[in-house]
Amino acid sequence: MFAFERGGILITSDIEGRAREIETSLSPLRTVLFMREDFKIEDAKEVIGEAYKSEENTKTLILGAKSFTIPAQNALLKILEEPPRNIVFILIAPNKSTFLPTVRSRLNLTQEHTQRHFEPLSITLKNLDLASLFAFVKENERLKKHEAKALLEQIAYHAIHIEKLPLSASQLEGLEKGIRLVELNSRFQSVLVMILMNFIREVKRGR
């Protein structure tokens, strides 16, 4: 069970719902919610400002977002390690990979195991060609960071569980590298081309 009173990281697909449940469970103690789509450096500064407002009783700051930028996480590191008196932090996101290892090392992490549902891909990976590759990239060129990561997870799921492809080491490494590059704000079109080209290479090899 997630120890709300001690804070920590909660990984769940229902970010806002779980944040509200935690807020209710902690009543009558004060909680402050910071719910964002993408948690940025200005949000981190707002949290830090709230954390340094003195409290006689425990105050819990709940930070929920689909993604947390690296500058925002770096800005929070010191206060997460040494929070002000009576301040507790709860960070909520859909994926463990959202958080830097340095953030995860400062807080206990609880992961809720929920069944992921993936929509079918609009391409077939086992006979992918350049025309369909670039049409797919064009279709997904404006995704937000959390959407881009979700698409890469969808591609991996589709390849393994739907098309049942025997993924090569190069394909697996490409998928892992792609998620890291998205976290670093690399251009998603380039990341997606890199990953999908690995599938075209395997098609040419007759896998």
Side-chain angles (χ1 to χ4, degrees):
M1 175 177 273
F2 187 63
F4 305 121
E5 69 278 1
R6 295 195 300 273
I9 295 172
L10 177 62
I11 304 303
T12 178
S13 58
D14 184 14
I15 298 171
E16 186 163 356
R18 296 294 283 119
R20 298 295 179 186
E21 288 174 9
I22 294 169
E23 180 183 32
T24 300
S25 73
L26 293 174
S27 181
L29 294 175
R30 187 169 176 231
T31 57
V32 182
L33 270 61
F34 296 87
M35 306 303 296
R36 306 288 188 268
E37 185 79 9
D38 186 24
F39 202 90
K40 300 178 180 178
I41 183 70
E42 54 265 31
D43 302 311
K45 291 177 179 177
E46 187 179 349
V47 167
I48 292 168
E50 181 64 41
Y52 280 113
K53 293 177 182 177
S54 60
E55 298 286 334
E56 290 185 8
N57 298 309
T58 300
K59 177 173 68 176
T60 302
L61 307 186
I62 302 175
L63 288 54
K66 292 181 178 177
S67 63
F68 286 71
T69 66
I70 291 176
Q73 293 186 64
N74 284 331
L76 291 170
L77 281 178
K78 181 173 175 56
I79 202 166
L80 291 176
E81 186 169 17
E82 299 177 358
R85 181 174 173 270
N86 292 335
I87 298 297
V88 172
F89 290 97
I90 297 175
L91 279 57
I92 309 177
N95 300 294
K96 184 170 71 171
S97 59
T98 297
F99 297 108
L100 297 169
T102 45
V103 171
R104 296 201 302 265
S105 70
R106 284 162 170 76
L107 297 167
N108 291 326
L109 186 144
T110 299
Q111 188 159 359
E112 293 184 342
H113 298 286
T114 55
Q115 185 66 36
R116 294 289 303 277
H117 173 71
F118 292 101
E119 295 294 330
L121 283 179
S122 60
I123 54 174
T124 304
L125 298 170
K126 63 183 176 184
N127 55 12
L128 189 63
D129 57 30
L130 285 174
S132 55
L133 182 155
F134 286 111
F136 185 75
V137 170
K138 181 71 174 175
E139 177 187 337
N140 293 283
E141 65 182 348
R142 297 188 180 277
L143 298 187
K144 296 178 181 179
K145 183 188 289 188
H146 71 274
E147 294 171 330
K149 289 170 64 178
L151 179 60
L152 298 187
E153 292 173 357
Q154 181 185 2
I155 289 171
Y157 179 90
H158 185 92
I160 295 168
H161 298 286
I162 305 300
E163 297 193 31
K164 301 188 184 302
L165 299 177
L167 297 187
S168 66
S170 175
Q171 288 169 313
L172 291 170
E173 289 169 6
L175 286 163
E176 291 178 3
K177 182 180 178 182
I179 290 176
R180 291 197 301 270
L181 289 172
V182 168
E183 274 296 324
L184 295 171
N185 298 314
S186 296
R187 189 166 177 261
F188 184 57
Q189 287 172 292
S190 302
V191 173
L192 196 52
V193 168
M194 172 197 74
I195 288 170
L196 294 178
M197 281 301 297
N198 280 331
F199 285 93
I200 287 184
R201 292 189 189 99
E202 295 303 328
V203 169
K204 290 182 177 179
R205 289 176 186 153
R207 289 177 66 95

